[in-house]
Amino acid sequence: DQQVKQNSPSLSVQEGRISILNCDYTNSMFDYFLWYKKYPAEGPTFLISISSIKDKNEDGRFTVFLNKSAKHLSLHIVPSQPGDSAVYFCAASKLGGNTPLVFGKGTRLSVIA
Amino acid sequence: GAGVSQTPSNKVTEKGKYVELRCDPISGHTALYWYRQSLGQGPEFLIYFQGTGAADDSGLPNDRFFAVRPEGSVSTLKIQRTERGDSAVYLCASSETGVLSGNTIYFGEGSWLTVV
């Protein structure tokens, strides 16, 4: 039973356009959400996070939106760059207890020049 | 070093052999995690240490898998009687404790295990 779902295994976007990666979760106890980026042969690297007290968090070209009622979050990348091509993982946890992160299966983003 | 360090980066072993994978976390991080990532999947939780003790080992798939962290820093993941299905990338991660850290964990580059 997947608690964190990324239903799009891949996404292609033109350079300069917006990339939108989606993530759904089922466990209502989750209150902290993160996005990780992974290049081939490297470990995942932290990108951006959001806690359930907010509905938006922005860091440069990256913005994460959280819709608690729909149990849905999304990552927006604007403008997309070829270096953004990677696998993006959504992860969820319960804040404050160092509980393990639960990951989705990832979405492979390809930004085409 | 500044990041999480894992050795070996690649390991090929024969079915039935014993394997050890090592993780050196970020200095000062008391929480240490092991995850496993198979092809086409996201990282799957195995075990989590808080200091020297295993706070949660619910993700270990069976008793062939064991991990230790005797001094609260370096950790070793041990796999006995390896099977072909154990082939995966084994990821180690660490984090600070406390609410302020927001549970952000930082990963190493992984140890690629291939069982032939």
Side-chain angles (χ1 to χ4, degrees), chain A residues 36-113:
Chain A
Y36 281 79
K37 179 168 75 171
K38 185 181 184 304
Y39 293 117
E42 294 184 9
T45 55
F46 170 72
L47 194 56
I48 193 169
S49 63
I50 188 167
S51 73
S52 60
I53 61 172
K54 301 174 80 171
D55 55 18
K56 176 183 173 181
N57 188 26
E58 190 172 348
D59 183 3
R61 296 186 297 114
F62 302 90
T63 303
V64 56
F65 295 92
L66 176 62
N67 181 334
K68 290 186 290 292
S69 61
K71 295 193 180 70
H72 176 84
L73 62 153
S74 61
L75 174 68
H76 292 211
I77 307 173
V78 183
S80 302
Q81 299 174 354
D84 297 329
S85 298
V87 178
Y88 289 79
F89 291 102
C90 173
S93 179
K94 182 148 178 37
L95 196 65
N98 271 318
T99 52
L101 294 178
V102 179
F103 285 83
K105 290 187 176 184
T107 297
R108 181 177 300 279
L109 173 66
S110 300
V111 180
I112 303 158

Side-chain angles (χ1 to χ4, degrees), chain A residues 14-41:
Chain A
Q14 274 203 307
E15 181 179 9
R17 301 302 255 302
I18 183 171
S19 296
I20 301 176
L21 297 101
N22 293 302
C23 177
D24 298 290
Y25 61 97
T26 58
N27 189 338
S28 57
M29 298 296 288
F30 289 148
D31 57 7
Y32 191 67
F33 306 91
L34 306 90
W35 285 93
Y36 281 79
K37 179 168 75 171
K38 185 181 184 304
Y39 293 117

